[in-house]
Amino acid sequence: MKSARPFVTATVTMSFVILSITGVLMTFHVFPREQTHMLKGIHEWLGYLFIIGAGFHLYFNWSAILGYFKQRHNQLQWLVAGLVCIALSIGAFVFNPDSKRGQGEGRHRAQFENFERHHSSDLPKN
């Protein structure tokens, strides 16, 4: 099982890099809508791979991770990093342009209606 360590490290690293790139591209709407849908699929599937790889990484390095957390200065760094991540998550939720004044709900409703319009011919007729 130890021989899997380099593969797990490479998988986690590469999926992190691609997740970062696709996330930034989607955030700044670099591609047209049709291509963004494909990008979203890549982002989601590599997210699953990243989670699985991270789980194996934790398994292989559990004793080192526990030792790392026992050092006082590392505990403070993790606490600060956790607080920054929580603050950014709350900020992204509160200041999300789609969540203001029901705009997000309207956008999703329009996407659903567009889907219905394009796929209504696929439904069985009564």
Side-chain angles (χ1 to χ4, degrees), residues 1-125:
M1 222 29 190
K2 297 278 186 191
S3 63
R5 264 186 165 171
F7 176 74
V8 168
T9 300
T11 301
V12 170
T13 302
M14 290 306 298
S15 58
F16 171 75
V17 168
I18 295 171
L19 282 171
S20 300
I21 292 169
T22 55
V24 169
L25 292 174
M26 287 189 305
T27 299
F28 293 107
H29 308 286
V30 173
F31 294 107
R33 191 173 264 177
E34 305 83 37
Q35 293 172 342
T36 300
H37 180 70
M38 181 185 66
L39 200 62
K40 183 177 180 282
I42 293 168
H43 187 79
E44 289 173 350
W45 280 100
L46 281 175
Y48 300 136
L49 179 64
F50 182 80
I51 291 168
I52 292 167
F56 279 110
H57 176 74
L58 288 172
Y59 172 77
F60 286 133
N61 297 294
W62 189 247
S63 60
I65 290 169
L66 287 179
Y68 183 79
F69 280 114
K70 290 179 182 176
Q71 298 172 5
R72 183 114 173 108
H73 68 278
N74 290 335
Q75 292 172 350
L76 180 60
Q77 291 172 356
W78 279 92
L79 176 66
V80 170
L83 291 174
V84 168
C85 287
I86 290 169
L88 287 174
S89 298
I90 291 170
F93 180 75
V94 170
F95 297 108
N96 182 357
D98 290 338
S99 67
K100 292 181 183 175
R101 297 180 296 282
Q103 291 173 359
E105 181 181 321
R107 181 176 61 99
H108 295 299
R109 185 178 303 120
Q111 288 174 344
F112 180 73
E113 290 169 358
N114 189 31
F115 178 82
E116 277 186 324
R117 195 173 321 112
H118 283 72
H119 297 289
S120 61
S121 61
D122 297 341
L123 300 174
K125 305 285 189 234

